[in-house]
Amino acid sequence: MSNIQSVLEEKRLFPPSAEFSAKARLDKDKLAALRAEAEKDPVGFWAELARRNIAWQTPFRTVLDDSQAPNYRWFTDGRTNASANCLDRHLGTKGDKIAIRFEGDKGDTKTWTYRALHAEVCKLANGLKSLGVTKGDRVVLYMPHTPEAVMAMQACARIGAVHSIVFGGFSSGSLRDRIEDAGAKVVITADGNSRGGNIIELKKAVNEALSSGCKSVEKVVVLKRSGHDVAFDAKRDVWWHELLAKQSSNCDPEWVESEHPLFLLYTSGSTGKPKGIQHSTGGYLLGAHMSCLWVFDLQDSDVFWCTADVGWVTGHTYVGYGPLSCGATILMFEGVPTWPDAGRFWKVAQDHGVTIFYTAPTAIRALMKLGEEPPAKYDLSKLRLLGSVGEPINPEAWMWYHRVIGKEKLPIVDTWWQTETGAIMMSPIPGATATKPGSCTQPLPGIFADVVDEAGEAIKSVEAGGYLVITKPWPAMLRTIWGDNERYIKTYFGQFPGKNLYVAGDSTHRDKDGYYWIMGRIDDVLNVSGHRLGTMEIESALVSHPRVAEAAVVGRPHEVKGESVFAFVTCKGARPQGEEADKLLKELREHVGKEIGALAKPDDIRFSDNLPKTRSGKIMRRLLRSIAKGEEITQDISTLENPAIVSQLQGKA
Ligand code: PRX
């Protein structure tokens, strides 16, 4: 409620500057015209964009096939290739343009032109073919955030293989589960890499994952990055550089049907098992491409820096595919914002002449805490546009971004979207939309959002609060959950039977101007530092520890992370106290780190004799959330099986 209050009181409005609008791809009038076209004929609108913006080997005639709804299919009889769209089509006009600028954690730099990138991607694609990878095979990438990760994505796309990237911060156990679910034939990894000065043991984790299962994996391609010694299985493992040395730098793209899966990306939901979100080729690419042009106003001279790791969807759409499909120059940075010092991000932005900077609120809040001096030391005058993604941005962080980084001049695009939506769904258009701090403003042209009540009924008034839904299919939407179409239908379209609404899982408020304010998840999903985590996953990790009998995990508001993990745990045997409790607490945090990854480690763990349950056995999560926040308990606890447990949960007894 306090969140709702604070955004409702937010009255500031920042119209785009005349200077920005004059040069932008879209100004107010052009945006209005696009919206009108989309309203009139949504399917025809996307068809026209797809014809003009995607290079098709075989043009499509069917635009939208909804005969199997909600398994929508777009541009079904068209054939294309994502890598050809990102690379080949620029070779004639932009072969010598820099595609990727790179800076490593330790400050090493390198650039690749479109021609050079194309050659490397072709070599790797040929290398993968030589290992037996063919169209439709799954390849798992567990890689550092370096250009080779983009090359690996592009190489898979080039031969019609389906990549599935697992973020390098996930543990070997999480990696194993994802490899097994996807049935991957090949894994591409690196020996290790440096992040914030620490070595990330990628190959070691792959070795562990493969020694405990993953029977489908035939080969492991290993990029030499850290150069430290790693255990190498000569029969199974092959060095990236040795594989590429033998290959031709030409590889014809495999022309795939538009619906051919481009990638899987696992994300958390409300059960313990992550979902393999499956994206298509043609529709996804169109969403990635158009949103880059509309939202980031990408121009030929831009240097676009999206700070997201390739392991997350933002790193797919706004590092690996979208900007390259536009022929833009991107920057990739391997490190972290504040290492070796508080000015690193700003130094990187300065040194590479970054013009568009896209990051997460958690990073903004962390940098904001370090004060105004670090950014003031660097020349950020090339910046022309700022973006935010991954979680609600609080007005205070928005204002800091606007004032200190944007010098009160630069537009900020707060972009709302999800792994499932493939591309940005709601965002200001920087040359056209007046922004309000904390609001992602309005849906993009061709995207139809609404607010519904608990029965799935649209709320008629403009000003409304409730569930955020998308009312019409869009090209970049997920196609299914890998291996579990029923779960796809149930999770995203099953909440309001018969209504055919995509339910995003977020609650929202729409103000009197029709601007959307995302309030956060309404399911059991946490957003920790912009990383999506299922409470059930963390609970399963906790109960897999021999001392734990039961666990309940909730989110607690956190100044920098947005939300942090708070776990209530009951133990087998007596409740641990004093030193024993401290020791177990540390052990459990490490255990979760090992089971899922460091990103899921609880900040708080509280031991109690019981968890608060209703007489029907349901854990009262709302009560736990209040306790985690340290709130006064005002809710009715008379239905609790054991009301006396409350003070223990509060840490008082
Ligand atoms: O709750 C919303 C939040 O992040 C969720 C999606 O997480 P994920 O699939 O990991 O994708 C993150 C990057 C696109 C959403 O359901 N979210 C994302 N962007 C915003 C946001 N919440 C508020 N404002 C945003 N701009």
Side-chain angles (χ1 to χ4, degrees):
M1 280 316 282
S2 59
N3 197 3
I4 294 180
Q5 268 317 320
S6 81
V7 298
L8 291 186
E9 281 159 20
E10 184 54 63
K11 296 277 188 291
R12 290 170 285 204
L13 190 70
F14 297 89
S17 73
E19 193 194 341
F20 192 99
S21 299
K23 293 188 195 143
R25 286 178 182 273
L26 293 181
D27 60 13
K28 243 180 158 168
D29 295 341
K30 285 188 189 143
L31 176 61
L34 270 187
R35 285 202 202 287
E37 252 178 74
E39 291 273 345
K40 209 168 78 202
D41 176 12
V43 174
F45 172 76
W46 284 116
E48 190 50 31
L49 292 174
R51 280 188 201 105
R52 277 195 269 127
N53 291 279
I54 300 296
W56 298 94
Q57 186 250 4
T58 310
F60 60 88
R61 275 170 304 172
T62 305
V63 183
L64 171 64
D65 172 0
D66 57 4
S67 59
Q68 315 274 324
N71 288 111
Y72 295 99
R73 298 159 57 81
W74 288 84
F75 318 124
T76 41
D77 49 356
R79 279 181 179 268
T80 185
N81 179 287
S83 172
N85 270 276
C86 293
L87 304 173
D88 306 41
R89 72 162 152 174
H90 307 308
L91 293 183
T93 50
K94 297 182 175 179
D96 296 324
K97 177 174 175 173
I98 292 177
I100 306 185
R101 304 182 64 98
F102 172 65
E103 179 160 331
D105 191 52
K106 294 179 177 159
D108 49 313
T109 59
K110 195 168 170 181
T111 57
W112 282 263
T113 61
Y114 269 93
R115 204 181 315 286
L117 182 61
H118 175 263
E120 286 304 295
V121 168
C122 285
K123 282 193 219 166
L124 180 60
N126 285 326
L128 291 174
K129 277 194 199 172
S130 76
L131 300 179
V133 179
T134 57
K135 183 181 170 194
D137 284 342
R138 275 82 58 211
V139 176
V140 161
L141 276 49
Y142 187 65
M143 297 193 71
H145 187 68
T146 62
E148 287 82 1
V150 171
M151 291 171 199
M153 297 163 89
Q154 291 281 339
C156 289
R158 200 158 184 90
I159 61 173
V162 182
H163 61 72
S164 178
I165 308 191
V166 179
F167 173 57
F170 279 116
S171 68
S172 60
S174 295
L175 175 63
R176 181 199 54 225
D177 294 348
R178 286 158 174 77
I179 292 173
E180 289 190 337
D181 191 79
K185 195 173 198 176
V186 165
V187 175
I188 308 181
T189 188
D191 44 0
N193 77 309
S194 171
R195 267 197 98 221
N198 301 313
I199 283 278
I200 312 290
E201 296 276 3
L202 295 166
K203 179 64 163 66
K204 189 166 166 236
V206 171
N207 289 347
E208 280 169 18
L210 267 53
S211 68
S212 63
C214 307
K215 295 287 169 259
S216 60
V217 175
E218 294 170 13
K219 289 282 174 193
V220 179
V221 179
V222 190
L223 173 76
K224 203 176 249 262
R225 173 73 187 139
S226 59
H228 75 306
D229 276 344
V230 288
F232 205 81
D233 174 344
K235 269 213 237 104
R236 184 196 64 196
D237 302 345
V238 35
W239 286 109
W240 171 296
H241 57 275
E242 287 177 7
L243 180 68
L244 266 65
K246 296 176 258 171
Q247 306 300 335
S248 149
S249 54
N250 270 309
C251 172
D252 286 340
E254 172 88 30
W255 300 106
V256 297
E257 30 328 338
S258 184
E259 280 296 309
H260 183 69
L262 178 61
F263 65 85
L264 309 179
L265 182 57
Y266 284 82
T267 190
S268 298
S270 47
T271 76
K273 191 175 181 293
K275 321 176 256 198
I277 301 300
Q278 179 180 321
H279 278 288
S280 71
T281 301
Y284 168 80
L285 205 60
L286 181 63
H289 186 85
M290 295 321 303
S291 55
C292 278
L293 298 180
W294 291 339
V295 176
F296 298 113
D297 187 47
L298 262 189
Q299 311 266 358
D300 202 35
S301 52
D302 277 319
V303 177
F304 179 59
W305 184 15
C306 163
T307 69
D309 190 278
V310 285
W312 307 106
V313 74
T314 310
H316 283 62
T317 309
Y318 300 106
V319 180
Y321 290 109
L324 297 178
S325 79
C326 300
T329 298
I330 62 167
L331 168 70
M332 291 180 74
F333 170 54
E334 188 185 23
V336 300
T338 52
W339 187 84
D341 63 47
R344 183 68 186 274
F345 250 23
W346 313 123
K347 181 171 188 319
V348 170
Q350 165 193 277
D351 292 354
H352 295 271
V354 170
T355 60
I356 305 173
F357 179 67
Y358 186 37
T359 197
T362 184
I364 300 169
R365 289 189 297 262
L367 292 161
M368 179 171 122
K369 272 190 99 172
L370 300 169
E372 297 180 24
E373 264 170 46
K377 279 196 211 146
Y378 299 97
D379 175 7
L380 301 178
S381 59
K382 289 231 169 81
L383 283 177
R384 65 179 197 95
L385 175 59
L386 305 175
S388 169
V389 61
E391 41 174 328
I393 179 164
N394 46 313
E396 192 194 353
W398 195 103
M399 286 307 297
W400 185 86
Y401 204 24
H402 165 74
R403 187 172 55 77
V404 179
I405 308 304
K407 311 280 187 268
E408 298 184 353
K409 283 200 323 254
L410 307 191
I412 297 180
V413 288
D414 173 6
T415 63
W416 177 84
W417 59 296
Q418 309 178 293
T419 305
E420 291 87 341
T421 69
I424 294 169
M425 300 291 277
M426 294 205 264
S427 169
I429 300 298
T433 315
T435 51
K436 302 183 187 185
S439 167
C440 60
T441 73
Q442 291 187 307
L444 298 189
I447 302 297
F448 297 86
D450 207 350
V451 187
V452 302
D453 64 18
E454 308 234 304
E457 292 297 334
I459 298 175
K460 297 270 177 338
S461 55
V462 175
E463 199 165 1
Y467 295 88
L468 174 62
V469 295
I470 308 296
T471 60
K472 288 184 172 51
W474 66 102
M477 69 191 293
L478 77 164
R479 294 307 193 257
T480 187
I481 293 174
W482 179 256
D484 199 349
N485 196 48
E486 234 169 82
R487 188 174 175 196
Y488 161 76
I489 296 171
K490 190 164 160 255
T491 308
Y492 302 108
F493 292 89
Q495 193 147 343
F496 307 117
K499 298 230 182 263
N500 208 25
L501 296 170
Y502 170 85
V503 180
D506 282 319
S507 68
T508 190
H509 177 83
R510 188 173 56 205
D511 71 17
K512 61 179 182 357
D513 300 323
Y515 276 37
Y516 285 79
W517 303 76
I518 306 297
M519 294 300 157
R521 302 287 308 191
I522 41 175
D523 49 10
D524 295 322
V525 170
L526 305 182
N527 196 328
V528 180
S529 302
H531 300 152
R532 190 164 149 182
L533 292 168
T535 53
M536 284 273 284
E537 282 170 76
I538 309 172
E539 288 165 9
S540 327
L542 285 165
V543 295
S544 71
H545 186 278
R547 276 297 315 271
V548 176
E550 213 178 0
V553 165
V554 296
R556 168 193 193 169
H558 186 282
E559 209 188 342
V560 174
K561 299 180 183 181
E563 235 177 340
S564 67
V565 178
F566 197 121
F568 295 89
V569 170
T570 66
C571 287
K572 292 177 187 153
R575 173 161 64 105
Q577 314 246 18
E579 256 177 51
E580 193 204 350
D582 290 344
K583 197 168 146 258
L584 185 58
L585 199 140
K586 281 201 197 96
E587 214 176 293
L588 289 180
R589 294 191 73 236
E590 289 314 308
H591 182 72
V592 172
K594 215 171 125 255
E595 290 290 309
I596 303 178
L599 68 169
K601 283 184 184 177
D603 276 18
D604 299 270
I605 298 179
R606 200 162 280 168
F607 298 109
S608 65
D609 291 328
N610 289 299
L611 291 179
K613 291 191 187 158
T614 60
R615 289 195 184 99
S616 59
K618 242 181 110 185
I619 294 176
M620 291 180 80
R621 287 176 182 279
R622 210 154 50 91
L623 174 68
L624 291 179
R625 276 193 282 269
S626 299
I627 292 174
K629 279 187 202 157
E631 286 173 357
E632 195 82 29
I633 304 301
T634 51
Q635 50 196 281
D636 179 14
I637 51 169
S638 61
T639 54
L640 265 187
E641 200 186 3
N642 175 9
I645 202 72
V646 170
S647 62
Q648 210 180 72
L649 293 164
Q650 288 171 315
K652 291 183 187 161

